[in-house]
C-alpha cells in the first residue's frame, strides 16, 4: 500500500547509511521548487543519535549551513534519531548539497560552543552535547565517499 509520506514507502531495512538522498520535490504555482533531502547518519534500527548530541547538531547545522546557502528552507531532525531532513528552494544541484553538508559538518568539528544554547533561544537548553555532536559529525565525514550510495 502506497503511503502519503515518501519515506514511509522507503524500505528502511534495505538502505545503507550514511547517505544523502533526494526524498521529494514540490513545485509551487509560480514555478518555485522545494527539494527535500534525507540525510541519513545512522543505520536504521541498528543505531541512533542520542538526543543531546542530536539537538546540538541540529542547532549547529541550522546555523552554520546558512553561511553557505541562501536557499535553505529548513533542517530538522528525524524523530527516529537516525538522520535529518534538509529542504532547499530553487536548488537542484545534488553535488552542491553534498558539499554544503560537508562544509557544515567541518564547522561543527571546530565549533567551541553550541549556538543559541540558552533558555531564551531554545526550548530545552539543558539538553545539549557539543562533544556528542562532534563525534557524530566526525563519523559522518569519515564516510564522505559513501554518501551518494543509498542501497
Ligand atoms: Zn534547541
Amino acid at each position: 500500500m502506497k503511503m502519503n509520506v515518501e519515506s514511509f514507502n522507503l524500505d528502511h531495512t534495505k538502505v545503507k547509511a550514511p547517505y544523502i538522498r533526494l526524498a521529494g520535490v514540490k513545485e509551487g504555482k509560480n514555478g518555485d521548487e522545494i527539494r527535500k533531502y534525507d540525510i541519513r547518519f545512522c543505520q536504521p534500527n541498528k543505531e541512533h543519535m542520542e538526543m543531546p548530541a542530536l539537538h546540538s547538531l541540529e542547532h549547529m547545522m541550522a546555523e552554520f549551513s546558512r553561511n553557505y546557502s541562501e536557499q535553505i528552507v529548513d533542517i530538522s531532525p528525524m524523530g527516529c534519531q537516525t538522520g535529518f531532513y534538509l529542504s532547499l528552494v530553487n536548488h537542484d544541484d545534488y553535488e552542491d548539497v553534498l558539499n554544503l553538508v560537508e562544509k557544515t559538518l567541518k564547522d561543527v568539528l571546530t565549533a567551541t560552543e553550541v549556538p543559541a544554547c540558552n533558555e531564551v533561544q531554545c526550548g530545552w537548553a539543558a539538553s545539549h552535547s557539543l562533544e556528542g555532536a562532534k563525534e557524530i559529525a566526525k563519523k559522518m565525514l569519515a564516510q564522505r565517499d559513501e554518501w551518494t550510495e543509498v542501497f
Side-chain angles (χ1 to χ4, degrees):
M1 184 185 66
K2 194 166 189 311
M3 298 196 68
N4 291 330
V5 177
E6 190 273 349
S7 74
F8 293 167
N9 297 307
L10 175 76
D11 186 343
H12 286 68
T13 67
K14 301 277 197 295
V15 299
K16 218 178 142 301
Y19 64 77
I20 299 178
R21 178 183 74 88
L22 180 65
V25 183
K26 283 267 184 196
E27 197 182 317
K29 63 177 165 45
N30 296 314
D32 289 313
E33 196 181 71
I34 301 275
R35 281 178 183 244
K36 178 180 175 181
Y37 291 89
D38 162 356
I39 306 176
R40 196 71 62 153
F41 284 75
C42 300
Q43 186 61 31
N45 300 296
K46 303 286 184 213
E47 47 182 18
H48 65 272
M49 294 174 265
E50 295 301 331
M51 272 316 295
L54 173 72
H55 187 193
S56 295
L57 189 59
E58 179 210 355
H59 275 228
M60 291 190 279
M61 287 179 69
E63 183 65 20
F64 302 159
S65 62
R66 287 175 168 91
N67 291 328
Y68 300 113
S69 177
E70 297 280 314
Q71 289 157 293
I72 295 166
V73 175
D74 184 51
I75 296 183
S76 305
M78 296 173 183
C80 59
Q81 298 166 232
T82 65
F84 284 82
Y85 283 114
L86 165 66
S87 296
L88 299 119
V89 64
N90 297 332
H91 181 290
D92 65 355
D93 186 341
Y94 176 69
E95 282 299 318
D96 190 57
V97 169
L98 301 177
N99 291 330
L100 172 69
V101 172
E102 181 180 357
K103 285 186 282 188
T104 300
L105 292 177
K106 282 179 173 166
D107 287 347
V108 170
L109 295 185
T110 58
T112 54
E113 59 175 16
V114 178
C117 172
N118 59 71
E119 291 189 6
V120 174
Q121 294 175 291
C122 172
W124 192 8
S127 179
H128 277 282
S129 171
L130 176 60
E131 285 315 308
K134 286 187 181 196
E135 274 174 41
I136 295 166
K138 196 173 160 192
K139 184 170 179 243
M140 185 70 168
L141 284 166
Q143 293 168 289
R144 170 67 174 84
D145 58 345
E146 297 172 34
W147 292 0
T148 57
E149 208 71 50
V150 179
F151 297 100

